[in-house]
């Protein structure tokens, strides 16, 4: 019987500023998961050149690797993958009921660790680009 | 108009139990309540439920303790019913899944409580009332009992025969808070009032904001007498800003009370040289107020309760919930600073007069729980005796209303049970209604069709509410505050004749001011302004009966202390103070206490512990 | 529940409104002239005398009162004193300035669960929130923003529709059921201390709906049981007095389509619960119990 | 309320499998990353190298298993996410078979690629 009022945006994701750790973790985990599965499809597509012949495969791969964009995308992929793995581990622990009290800290830890790993591997990834 | 066999008004412990009982008996029952059931104030009870469950304990001992605690103003048939039935009702709760605290052998735990000769207080952590309330609501859900929640009952549909004992109650009128609709509820068999306490009469109370004594006020105006209204229990340790209760446990563990000068006043000024802080509730409350009145209170308002010396470890171990209460509701960390405390209204022993079956003198109208007075508590309630009252008498009222034969009641009700009328009560102003008094009983005597009685009550209420909404005037909050303040100043733990009279004068003023109260919120939707305004009217009527009773009873018994009358006068005062509305001209009369029970006759003794 | 009003709902609403008209609801009159004279003067005096004051910015909405049909925020200045809670401040504002300010409250001690509100961007109980604690530094904050619970239908001002929450709570068969009671008069069922300890936190729920309001999943999926209802199921599933067969049945209930598997462990429910119930932990434990019992049959 | 009950409830199963595959992926993904991005830099990858690695039965099996698990984990994850988002009825069925098909195609193509890499095809 409610004479309800639609508060529209205030209601739904308009409140993102007030999101807490767990919510961000969820958003980012989703995002990273989708990127990864998307990448898996692309990846197999690219590797499919191997079915043509060895040279095409080598050319394609090396050709791609020469593109700066691809190199940067790879760093992004790494970030996404590392975060998904770390937060995935966090989620696995949460599922086992371990360390629930420090769930927010473990989320921040995954972020920090992801950043650290990404920064640390930039030299390797971007080697030879510039 | 809704129609059911039994209508239960109020869904706290008493109301829920009554509804389940009526349902068990096969009746079509509905709960009508202004709050959703789980919001009822029964949820606030912490301590426990008294029941003689164990070997070595016996319900007759419980009865004896209760009678003694009541200072011989309880009626034996009621007390014996309470104590003999409480064990099975408690086991019933356990069978419904209530999470009681447990012993090593898996049985329910019991602990000692003030005034009891055996540790028979069954409890569920520090939140017994919460569990009791929720367990019973769950059973209501299980049985599919109809609940009209957020329906404010504002009027009983009672016929208006001259003699209240001839009147019949056919239902209630309720205001649907969500829609603003005024609806009739026709009860084919009976209406059970279980509206709880009325602590809002005072400005400082452990009671909820919703505890406004609607039930007693409505029943009183419909002709059912109210009994022993002067007996109001005050709790000595409540937090000043909210009235939240700090349990006796703190003093039990060794907490100390001191005043502004840092003196341990219970000893220093000889209020209780033996028991000190552990003296009974009324003694400690009076001591605290004396300190404040004599200028030794902090901010002229409260005293300190200190438990720091017990050590953090012990406090955390035994009184953890107190730390949270003080922090959340007073902003004080009791591990670091003393807690401010002052006395607050806690429980009302008086209420609508009923017999052991919950019946009032109006046929078809029942009452149970804190709003009723069967009289088990007499002049003073023992801790842990209110919750058993809810389930024992709630169930009985429910069964009886649904038609179960519970045998002949021993306790007589109605003005005809009175033995003598008060003649000499000298009131400065005349109490009661200001003008045409008949507004409070529905229908004229000739009306015989029950449905029509309800309909006409609905009509009246609709008119009354519309008027309140359309009138211009002042806000009720002003009147309410004035009333509450007057009651706290003049009718609390200290009762002096001149103050009581002053209170009556102010109550009269409040009545007059209430005449031009208006509701500023014009909305149909969730108009709490309207409801609070109606409640204020009820508070005025209740305040008046408390004060009248207090003025009449010139003795010191249980929670009632009179300045010039410092002893219990058994020759004259072994009787209940009764007040009937008498169509707007309150009439005071008395009814003898019944001290002869089935089990034995209780001889008044000096109440010492 | 999201507050997106669907067309159908709107229609229903209109018919309800008509029905209300037919049954002669009282109200929707003109606004009476109400004199706050005394109270308002008193308030002005108190505000002047107070060392500190607090500004309440309160969400206002009423579907049928001109000027409130479009939601707005009203600001009230309230004198602050030590120990003052958000609820105290709201009551002060109502009693001294505007008696049409509407909110649910009763116990003032965090047991009735009626005053869960959205205070400064977080679900809290008004009565359990010290104004002083809303500020990081000592002392009361300048402005406190008070809104009704997000993701719920607003009925009026700070009052939201709780029906959906109640329905979810009642969907998990929230009542004790067993077929075997101990024989003999006045015999209670036995329960170990450990078991009572295990369910202890879960039994503390006061049905305030703060958790439900804070959960994004519940906001997006109207049928999701929600943390409080799942916690209620936990309270019974883990109670050894009900026995194994009942526990299986309870696991079936929470495994339904919109049951435990919907929970994405966002933890906001646990963070806002005023009774400190470890909701996420209970939900997770139920998931594991469900998996375990499924594997057992496999 | 659950109106039917089979001894193996699919919703819980998908949830469980998502965790189990995740646990397995942690290991192989880490291995994959180390080997192909740090030990052998991506830019230096040639068919020769790949071919060499893929000819080892152990490595080959690991990679195929990786593919199968990751595909399942990814596809199942997307499906779960959509179900949680409240998809039901016809779209749900479409998504279900669409994703299953996509997964199968991906695995099939992946295995074809793997075989080619190993020089078997
Ligand atoms: C802080 C505190 C601690 C306590 N501790 C203990 C203890 O340890 N042991 C013990 O035995 N006792 C204790 N008591 C006393 C005991 O809890 C109460 O006496 C008892 O709970 C009252 O229950 P009730 O069912 O009569 O009323 P309530 O639980 O107050 O219920 C009243 C019901 O009536 C409804 N209602 C009221 N007016 C209307 C209306 N006009 N229209 C419709 N519905 C209406 C309300 O919605 C509510 O549902 C304590 C009391 C307090 C305040
Ligand atoms: C070490 C490796 C990984 C771990 C530990 C891991 C962990 C997880 C976990 C626990 C979930 C479930 C989240 C939930 O239901 O709440 C998940 C979801 C998901 N994962 Fe992974 N994952 C890993 C690798 C991958 C890879 C390689 C892919 C890509 C193919 C992937 C794609 C996904 C997707 C698409 C989801 C669904 C996301 C969503 O909920 O929307 N993951 N992952
Ligand atoms: S679980 Fe906590 S937040 Fe949720 S309704 Fe219960 S008490 Fe409120
Ligand atoms: S916030 Fe919602 S997602 Fe789960 S952990 Fe709590 S129910
Ligand atoms: S008023 Fe009861 S919970 Fe806040």
């Amino acid at each position: 019987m409610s004479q309800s009022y639609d508060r529209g945006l205030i209601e739904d994701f308009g409140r993102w500023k007030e999101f807490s750790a767990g919510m961000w973790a969820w958003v980012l985990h989703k995002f990273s998961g989708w990127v990864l599965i998307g990448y898996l499809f692309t990846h197999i597509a690219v590797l499919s050149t191997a079915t043509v012949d060895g040279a095409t495969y080598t050319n394609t791969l090396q050709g791609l690797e020469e593109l700066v964009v691809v190199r940067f995308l790879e760093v992004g992929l790494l970030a996404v993958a590392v975060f998904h793995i770390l937060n995935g581990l966090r989620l696995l622990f949460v599922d086992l009921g371990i360390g629930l009290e420090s769930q927010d800290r473990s989320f921040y830890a995954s972020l920090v660790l992801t950043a650290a790993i990404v920064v640390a591997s930039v030299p390797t990834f971007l080697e030879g680009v510039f | 108009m809704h129609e059911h066999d039994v209508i239960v008004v109020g869904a706290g412990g008493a109301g829920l139990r009554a509804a389940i009982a009526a349902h068990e008996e096969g009746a079509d029952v509905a709960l009508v309540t202004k709050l959703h059931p789980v919001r009822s104030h029964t949820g606030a009870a912490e301590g426990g439920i008294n029941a003689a469950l164990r070997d070595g304990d016996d319900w007759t001992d419980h009865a004896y303790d209760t009678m003694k605690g009541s200072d011989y103003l309880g009626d034996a048939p009621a007390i014996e019913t309470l104590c003999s039935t409480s064990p099975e009702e408690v086991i019933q709760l356990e069978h419904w899944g209530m999470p009681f605290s447990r012993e090593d052998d898996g049985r329910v735990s019991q602990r000692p409580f003030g005034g009891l000769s055996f540790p028979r207080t069954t409890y569920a952590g520090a939140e017994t009332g919460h569990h009791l309330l929720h367990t019973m609501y769950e059973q209501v859900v299980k049985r599919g009992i109809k609940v009209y929640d957020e329906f404010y009952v504002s009027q009983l549909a009672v016929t208006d025969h001259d003699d209240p004992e001839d009147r019949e109650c056919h239902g209630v009128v309720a205001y649907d808070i969500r829609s603003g609709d005024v609806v009739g509820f026709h009860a084919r068999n009976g209406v059970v009032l279980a509206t709880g306490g009325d602590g809002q009469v005072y400005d400082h109370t452990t009671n909820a904001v919703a505890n406004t004594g609607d039930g007693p006020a409505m029943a009183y105006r419909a002709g059912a007498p109210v009994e022993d209204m002067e007996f109001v229990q005050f709790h000595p340790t409540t937090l000043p800003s909210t009235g939240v209760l700090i349990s006796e446990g703190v003093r039990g563990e060794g907490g100390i009370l001191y005043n502004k000068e840092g003196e341990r006043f219970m000893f220093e000024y000889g209020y209780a040289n033996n028991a000190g802080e552990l003296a009974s509730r009324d003694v400690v409350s009076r001591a605290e107020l004396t300190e404040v009145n004599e200028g030794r209170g902090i901010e002229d308002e409260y005293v300190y309760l200190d438990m720091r010396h017990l050590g953090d470890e012990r406090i955390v171990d035994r009184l953890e919930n107190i730390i949270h209460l003080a922090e959340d509701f007073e902003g004080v960390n009791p591990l670091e600073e003393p807690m401010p405390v002052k006395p607050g209204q806690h429980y009302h022993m008086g209420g609508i007069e009923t017999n052991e079956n919950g019946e009032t003198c109006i046929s078809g109208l029942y009452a149970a729980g804190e709003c009723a007075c069967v009289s088990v508590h007499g002049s003073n309630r023992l801790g842990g005796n209110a919750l058993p009252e809810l389930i024992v008498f709630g169930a009985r009222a429910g069964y009886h209303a649904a038609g179960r034969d519970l045998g002949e009641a021993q306790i007589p009700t109605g003005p005809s049970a009175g033995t003598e009328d008060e003649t000499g009560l000298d009131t400065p102003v005349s109490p009661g209604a200001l003008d045409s008094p008949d507004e409070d009983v529905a229908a004229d005597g000739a009306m015989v069709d029950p449905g029509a009685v309800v309909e006409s009550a609905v009509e009246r209420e609709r008119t009354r509410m519309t008027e309140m909404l359309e009138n211009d005037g002042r806000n009720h909050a002003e009147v309410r505050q004035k009333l509450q303040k007057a009651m706290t100043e003049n009718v609390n733990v200290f009762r002096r004749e001149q103050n009581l009279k002053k209170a009556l004068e102010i109550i009269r003023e409040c009545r007059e001011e209430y005449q031009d109260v208006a509701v500023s919120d014009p909305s149909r939707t969730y108009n709490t302004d309207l409801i609070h305004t109606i409640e204020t009217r009820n508070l005025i009527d209740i305040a008046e009966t408390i004060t009248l009773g207090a003025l009449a009873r010139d003795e010191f018994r249980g929670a009632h202390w009179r300045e010039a009358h410092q002893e219990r006068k058994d020759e004259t005062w072994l009787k209940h103070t009764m007040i009937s509305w008498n169509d707007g001209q309150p009439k005071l009369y008395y009814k003898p206490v019944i001290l002869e029970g089935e089990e034995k006759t209780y001889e008044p003794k000096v109440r010492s512990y | 529940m999201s507050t997106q009003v669907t067309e159908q709902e709107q229609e229903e609403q209109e018919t309800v409104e008509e029905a209300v008209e037919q049954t002669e609801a009282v109200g929707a009159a003109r606004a009476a002239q109400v004199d706050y004279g005394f109270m308002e003067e008193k308030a002005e005096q108190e505000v002047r005398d107070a060392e500190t004051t607090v500004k309440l910015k309160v969400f206002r909405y009423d579907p049928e009162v001109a000027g409130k049909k479009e939601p707005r925020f009203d600001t009230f200045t309230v004198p602050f004193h030590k120990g003052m809670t958000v609820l105290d401040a709201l009551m002060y504002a109502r009693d001294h300035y505007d008696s049409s300010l509407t909110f649910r409250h009763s116990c003032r001690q965090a047991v009735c669960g009626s005053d869960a509100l959205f205070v400064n961007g977080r679900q809290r109980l008004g009565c359990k929130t010290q104004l002083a604690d809303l500020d990081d530094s000592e002392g009361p904050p300048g402005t406190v923003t008070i809104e009704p619970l997000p993701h719920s239908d607003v009925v009026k001002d700070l009052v939201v529709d709780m029906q959906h929450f109640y329905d979810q709570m009642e969907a998990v068969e929230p009542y004790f059921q067993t077929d075997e009671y101990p024989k003999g008069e006045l015999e209670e069922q036995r329960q170990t201390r450990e078991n009572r300890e295990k369910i202890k936190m879960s039994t503390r729920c006061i049905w305030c709906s703060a958790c439900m309001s804070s959960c994004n999943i519940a906001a997006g999926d109207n049928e999701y049981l929600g943390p409080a209802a799942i916690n209620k199921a936990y309270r019974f599933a883990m109670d050894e007095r009900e026995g194994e067969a009942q526990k299986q049945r309870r696991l079936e209930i929470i495994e339904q389509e919109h049951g435990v598997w919907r929970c994405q462990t966002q933890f906001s429910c646990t963070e806002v619960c005023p009774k400190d119930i470890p909701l996420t932990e209970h939900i997770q434990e139920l998931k594991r119990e469900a998996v375990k019992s499924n594997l057992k049959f496999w | 309320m659950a109106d039917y009950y089979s001894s193996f409830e699919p919703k819980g199963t998908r949830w469980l499998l998502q965790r189990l595959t995740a646990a397995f992926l942690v290991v192989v993904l880490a291995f994959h990353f180390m080997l192909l991005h740090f030990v052998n830099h991506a830019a230096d990858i040639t068919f020769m190298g790949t071919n060499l690695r893929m000819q080892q039965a152990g490595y080959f099996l690991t990679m195929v298993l990786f593919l199968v698990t990751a595909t399942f984990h990814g596809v199942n994850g997307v499906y779960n996410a959509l179900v949680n988002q409240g998809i039901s009825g016809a779209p749900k069925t479409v998504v279900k078979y669409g994703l299953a098909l996509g997964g199968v195609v991906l695995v099939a193509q992946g295995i074809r690629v793997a075989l080619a890499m190993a020089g078997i095809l």
Side-chain angles (χ1 to χ4, degrees), chain A residues 71-106:
Chain A
R71 291 296 189 97
F72 275 104
L73 279 179
E74 266 180 356
V75 178
L77 179 67
L78 178 76
V80 162
V82 172
F83 174 79
H84 191 90
I85 295 175
L86 292 177
N87 193 56
L89 284 169
R90 169 180 167 275
L91 288 177
L92 290 178
F93 280 116
V94 165
D95 288 328
L96 294 172
I98 300 168
L100 293 187
E101 314 76 47
S102 34
Q103 59 87 15
D104 42 353
R105 267 168 287 152
S106 58

Side-chain angles (χ1 to χ4, degrees), chain C residues 43-139:
Chain C
E44 275 164 20
Q45 185 63 37
E46 280 169 10
V47 165
R48 240 177 288 132
D49 293 349
E51 280 168 35
T52 349
T53 57
V54 174
K55 279 201 168 46
L56 302 182
K57 200 176 141 211
V58 188
F59 178 91
R60 305 299 302 276
Y61 163 75
D62 189 311
E64 46 178 320
V65 173
K68 273 173 88 181
K69 279 190 184 145
E70 265 312 302
R72 59 164 203 246
F73 279 94
D74 280 355
T75 306
F76 303 99
T77 308
V78 168
F80 172 83
H81 63 79
K82 184 171 175 332
M84 196 175 204
T85 62
V86 169
L87 179 65
D88 292 337
L90 277 174
M91 287 165 73
Y92 189 95
R94 179 195 63 201
D95 291 345
H96 293 82
Y97 301 116
D98 181 358
S99 57
S100 71
L101 177 56
T102 308
F103 47 93
R104 287 195 185 94
H105 64 301
S106 183
C107 70
R108 290 144 46 250
Q109 46 188 285
V111 298
C112 76
S114 34
D115 63 341
L117 299 165
F118 199 59
V119 182
N120 280 3
R122 188 177 194 264
Q123 286 80 1
R124 312 173 203 252
L125 287 185
C127 62
K128 197 178 174 248
T129 306
Q130 289 282 317
L131 285 171
D133 289 347
L134 287 175
D135 197 20
D136 297 332
S137 58
E138 282 300 299

Side-chain angles (χ1 to χ4, degrees), chain C residues 214-217 224 227 263-270 280 283:
Chain C
S214 79
C215 177
N216 275 336
I217 302 300
Y224 173 41
C263 167
Q264 307 285 306
T265 58
Q266 290 196 3
F267 284 95
S268 42
C269 53
T270 307
T280 316
I283 299 172

